[in-house]
Amino acid sequence: MISTNEVQSAFILNSSPTFKGYYYQGTDNEFHYFVSKWDLKKDVLFKFKKEDLLINEPKAFKTDEVRVDLFETDKKFGSNEFYKLYLTEQ
């Protein structure tokens, strides 16, 4: 789980050529689940308490995976006091 101190830096602009992106995996009663995917490194799973990130249209955990990013698109995904997330093309 992302600690309160880590919420601010959970999503960063990453220009590494091996970084594939951040993916939302769904939400259960307590948490939002994400994974950062890499080509040459192990994927990193992390979760937020629901109150630490407002998601516009939460999906049930493991029903659908969507890519999210800090780059602005016309499809707002969610936000908190530190950043806004947007849906991107897979």
Side-chain angles (χ1 to χ4, degrees):
M1 176 177 60
I2 298 286
S3 72
T4 303
N5 294 337
E6 295 171 316
V7 167
Q8 184 173 357
S9 61
F11 294 97
I12 60 169
L13 293 175
N14 196 321
S15 62
S16 171
T18 62
F19 180 66
K20 293 165 57 176
Y22 294 109
Y23 293 81
Y24 167 67
Q25 296 187 313
T27 301
D28 65 14
N29 291 334
E30 296 181 64
F31 299 101
H32 301 302
Y33 295 87
F34 294 86
V35 60
S36 59
K37 294 187 178 185
W38 300 84
D39 277 333
L40 303 175
K41 297 186 343 185
K42 186 176 180 178
D43 294 344
V44 178
L45 302 170
F46 58 102
K47 62 185 178 180
F48 280 88
K49 292 179 189 175
K50 287 173 72 173
E51 61 266 18
D52 288 338
L53 180 65
L54 176 63
I55 293 180
N56 294 349
E57 296 180 26
K59 309 276 188 208
F61 183 50
K62 292 195 175 185
T63 57
D64 191 18
E65 183 176 88
V66 295
R67 186 170 179 197
V68 297
D69 207 324
L70 295 167
F71 291 110
E72 188 173 348
T73 70
D74 61 347
K75 300 175 185 172
K76 189 173 176 188
F77 172 77
S79 63
N80 65 16
E81 64 185 291
F82 304 111
Y83 39 73
K84 295 177 183 172
L85 296 173
Y86 299 89
L87 292 172
T88 64
E89 298 298 321
Q90 298 279 4

